[in-house]
Amino acid sequence: MEVEIKIDPTCKTPKIIIAAENITDEVKALAEKLSAEGLRSISGFKDNTARLLEPEEIVRIYSCGGKIVAVTDSGEFFLRRRLYELEELLEGKKFVRISNSELVNLKRVKEFDLSAAGTICVSLSNSDVTYVSRRYVVKIKKILGI
C-alpha cells in the first residue's frame, strides 16, 4: 500500500481519498477505520500512573463524590473529563446513559432484569449490578426494542 500526503494551504479540513483498482475487503476495512470518529482511547489515572483505556474494555463509567470513575476488568480508573463529555465522546461506541451519574457499555451488559416495577436492573460482565433510573427507563426500553 502506498501512502501520499499532499499539503494544500486552501484545504481547511483534512480529507482522505482512497484510490484503488476496485473495492476489496481491505479497502472497505480501511475506509471504516478512517471514517470512525477520532476517539481511540481515554486517559485513566490510578495511583500515580496514567493508562490509555480503550472504550471496549470499559464496563461502566460513573460519578462518585465529584469524581468520574471508569470501571474495567483490571480495576477502577479516575477520568479527568465530565460525564456529559464522555457521553458525547462515546456516542456510537455502544455506551448509553442509564442515570444522571452513570454510563454503561451495552457490549458488557449480561442482562436487563425488567421484573422490578418502574426500574430496570442491569447485570454487567464483571458481576457489578446497577440500576436504570426511572427517568431513563423509556430510553433504555426503546434501545432494547421493548
Side-chain angles (χ1 to χ4, degrees), residues 39-57:
L39 180 67
R40 302 243 187 273
S41 56
I42 298 171
S43 298
F45 301 88
K46 186 177 189 178
D47 300 324
N48 292 323
T49 60
R51 180 170 158 219
L52 293 177
L53 304 174
E54 297 300 322
E56 301 82 32
E57 72 179 300

Side-chain angles (χ1 to χ4, degrees), residues 27-146:
V27 171
K28 285 180 187 176
L30 181 60
E32 285 178 23
K33 197 174 212 178
L34 291 171
S35 65
E37 287 298 316
L39 180 67
R40 302 243 187 273
S41 56
I42 298 171
S43 298
F45 301 88
K46 186 177 189 178
D47 300 324
N48 292 323
T49 60
R51 180 170 158 219
L52 293 177
L53 304 174
E54 297 300 322
E56 301 82 32
E57 72 179 300
I58 298 172
V59 177
R60 69 185 183 126
I61 300 171
Y62 66 94
S63 65
C64 179
K67 303 222 183 247
I68 303 298
V69 180
V71 178
T72 69
D73 291 332
S74 57
E76 294 186 349
F77 296 86
F78 292 101
L79 306 179
R80 293 184 180 164
R81 293 182 185 256
R82 296 181 182 265
L83 200 58
Y84 74 88
E85 294 173 329
L86 291 162
E87 183 178 21
E88 289 173 9
L89 285 171
L90 295 167
E91 187 176 25
K93 301 278 186 197
K94 295 294 184 184
F95 278 79
V96 65
R97 185 181 283 260
I98 62 166
S99 71
N100 284 339
S101 60
E102 188 168 6
L103 301 169
V104 295
N105 184 346
L106 289 174
K107 292 181 179 178
R108 302 297 298 270
V109 172
K110 277 200 300 192
E111 65 184 18
F112 291 97
D113 183 358
L114 306 171
S115 62
T119 190
I120 300 172
C121 179
V122 183
S123 299
L124 301 165
S125 63
N126 65 344
S127 300
D128 283 355
V129 174
T130 188
Y131 294 88
V132 176
S133 72
R134 292 179 192 265
R135 181 177 179 190
Y136 290 90
V137 167
V138 172
K139 178 183 176 184
I140 297 301
K141 284 185 174 182
K142 184 177 180 183
I143 289 170
L144 297 175
I146 299 172

Side-chain angles (χ1 to χ4, degrees), residues 4-9 11 15:
E4 179 182 331
I5 299 175
K6 179 183 173 187
I7 304 300
D8 181 358
C11 184
K15 179 167 97 174

